[in-house]
Amino acid sequence: MTPVMTKVEKPSKLSVNDLIEDRDLSRGDLKLIFEVAQRVKASPGSFARALEGRQLAMIFEKPSLRTRAAFEVGMTSMGGSAVYLDHTKPRLGEREPIKDVARCLERWVHGIVARTFAHSAVKELAEHASIPVINALTDLFHPCQVLGDFFTLREKFGSLEGLKLAYVGDGNNVCHSLLVTGARLGVSVSVSTPPGFEPKAEIVDAATSISRETGATIQTVRDPVKAVAGSSAVYTDVWASMGQEYAAHLRKQVFATYQVTETLMAAAEPYAVFMHCLPAHRGQEVTSAVIDSPRSMIFDQAENRLHVQKALLLLLLQNGSV
Ligand code: CP
Ligand code: NVA
């Protein structure tokens, strides 16, 4: 019988107490998260009591399937529990100051996961809470997503160093996280967007400066074919993110030539995979033929959200015993 472990061996710990944005994670942090995720995935039963007695608060201002389910299942499958706090209305900070929310939650739970519109809201929570805060998506970054994505690519290709990922579509939160974490991991990232929808210059600059240390290349181009040339992975996301639904009609026209089709996939490496964070709008940013093709890794990405988020919970919530 496999012994039930209550603690993960202590290889080292993360350099951060919170996960607010991708820029905060070092290469060592990324390596550690992937190593723990790999162990959790290989032997989930060994961690069945690792978070016994630990509680997590999950604040969501926006809808979620994957992030919420993976955190809740992650906590309960390791002996802990999670409480969902619906903040779609009113939003965080509207009923009472964010610092008061932080100070109440820290009396009841061991960690906070938060999905907000304003990135500053998650930062403010972390500033005032003495317990770890994890960004579950803001308008600026989606770190949990891309940790799962690069873990998926690492499983597929064995090593990440030297790979090229092409991102085609809107220069949004997912694109920002891919740029920064890709650069840190030595993965070249080439982004193709319509004019006016580029990733923020500040984030591209940060990724470029990180890439100088890792040998990756960070590139923004107009032509999707140029972006995908030589790439091992082609990634896209919705054209209108949560909160931008009002502009969906206009965006459909602007982004029409940025759809990931079989023809565009053919411009990548012959072994290239297709990736999407989901939810997807088939027939808009990607055709059904591509998303349902054998190249598509979308459900592996979704599965790995669980393993990676379990690793984050272990590393951040286990009170120094990881
Ligand atoms: N990809 C992702 O974060 O999905 P949810 O919005 O469903 O959590
Ligand atoms: N860019 C998308 C990602 C959803 C997981 C959004 O913010 O809605």
Side-chain angles (χ1 to χ4, degrees):
M1 204 174 102
T2 324
V4 174
M5 284 166 48
T6 51
K7 287 177 182 175
V8 189
E9 279 166 43
K10 191 170 181 175
S12 50
K13 68 193 279 268
L14 293 178
S15 67
V16 288
N17 294 319
D18 307 289
L19 174 53
I20 305 302
E21 57 176 70
D22 307 75
R23 282 179 288 200
D24 300 336
L25 295 175
S26 67
R27 267 168 86 85
D29 290 332
L30 294 170
K31 188 167 171 268
L32 179 59
I33 294 166
F34 290 161
E35 277 168 11
V36 175
Q38 201 172 347
R39 287 166 56 198
V40 164
K41 183 170 183 174
S43 179
S46 306
F47 297 85
R49 296 175 58 186
L51 292 183
E52 207 163 46
R54 303 254 143 203
Q55 282 95 32
L56 180 73
M58 306 194 300
I59 296 174
F60 280 78
E61 289 184 346
K62 306 177 184 181
S64 171
L65 172 68
R66 284 146 287 269
T67 311
R68 178 185 171 181
F71 273 121
E72 193 162 337
V73 170
M75 282 302 290
T76 52
S77 66
M78 294 191 289
S81 61
V83 55
Y84 177 70
L85 302 171
D86 182 351
H87 277 67
T88 45
K89 232 180 181 185
R91 288 188 193 172
L92 187 62
E94 280 179 1
R95 186 163 174 256
E96 58 188 314
I98 292 179
K99 66 178 177 188
D100 291 355
V101 174
R103 285 174 185 163
C104 286
L105 287 175
E106 70 186 16
R107 302 288 180 111
W108 306 319
V109 300
H110 303 90
I112 304 171
V113 156
R115 169 170 289 192
T116 60
F117 285 88
H119 188 66
S120 58
V122 171
K123 278 171 91 166
E124 201 178 331
L125 258 183
E127 225 173 87
H128 295 284
S130 57
I131 53 176
V133 173
I134 302 176
N135 177 349
L137 178 150
T138 64
D139 283 351
L140 204 57
F141 288 108
H142 195 1
C144 296
Q145 176 65 48
V146 310
L147 289 171
D149 297 337
F150 285 112
F151 181 76
T152 306
L153 281 174
R154 185 176 172 264
E155 276 184 336
K156 172 78 184 170
F157 294 112
S159 153
L160 290 170
E161 211 93 19
L163 288 184
K164 177 183 170 187
L165 179 144
Y167 177 93
V168 178
D170 185 25
N172 61 18
N173 44 9
V174 171
C175 176
H176 289 160
S177 287
L178 286 168
L179 278 165
V180 173
T181 300
R184 188 84 74 200
L185 288 164
V187 176
S188 292
V189 182
S190 188
V191 175
S192 163
T193 71
F197 296 89
E198 297 86 0
K200 283 186 185 300
E202 172 211 343
I203 311 289
V204 177
D205 290 349
T208 305
S209 127
I210 294 167
S211 72
R212 288 197 193 102
E213 292 159 26
T214 62
T217 304
I218 298 298
Q219 203 185 15
T220 51
V221 296
R222 198 59 71 210
D223 182 2
V225 175
K226 260 198 192 138
V228 305
S231 67
S232 306
V234 178
Y235 200 120
T236 191
D237 184 14
V238 289
W239 290 337
S241 284
M242 291 179 276
Q244 297 172 333
E245 291 80 2
Y246 67 92
H249 182 69
L250 173 75
R251 282 174 172 248
K252 260 190 223 173
Q253 293 158 20
V254 175
F255 283 88
T257 54
Y258 288 80
Q259 185 182 60
V260 178
T261 60
E262 284 173 301
T263 312
L264 186 62
M265 286 302 297
E269 292 293 342
Y271 55 83
V273 296
F274 170 74
M275 304 181 84
H276 195 307
C277 55
L278 300 179
H281 293 146
R282 289 159 191 258
Q284 291 187 33
E285 72 272 9
V286 58
T287 61
S288 278
V290 169
I291 207 166
D292 294 327
S293 72
R295 285 167 174 250
S296 175
M297 302 210 71
I298 57 170
F299 299 116
D300 295 321
Q301 290 172 260
E303 179 190 332
N304 284 332
R305 294 291 304 277
L306 174 66
H307 309 303
V308 162
Q309 287 176 205
K310 280 173 82 171
L312 289 173
L313 291 169
L314 284 165
L315 289 161
L316 291 171
L317 261 62
Q318 233 193 10
N319 223 5
S321 50
V322 176

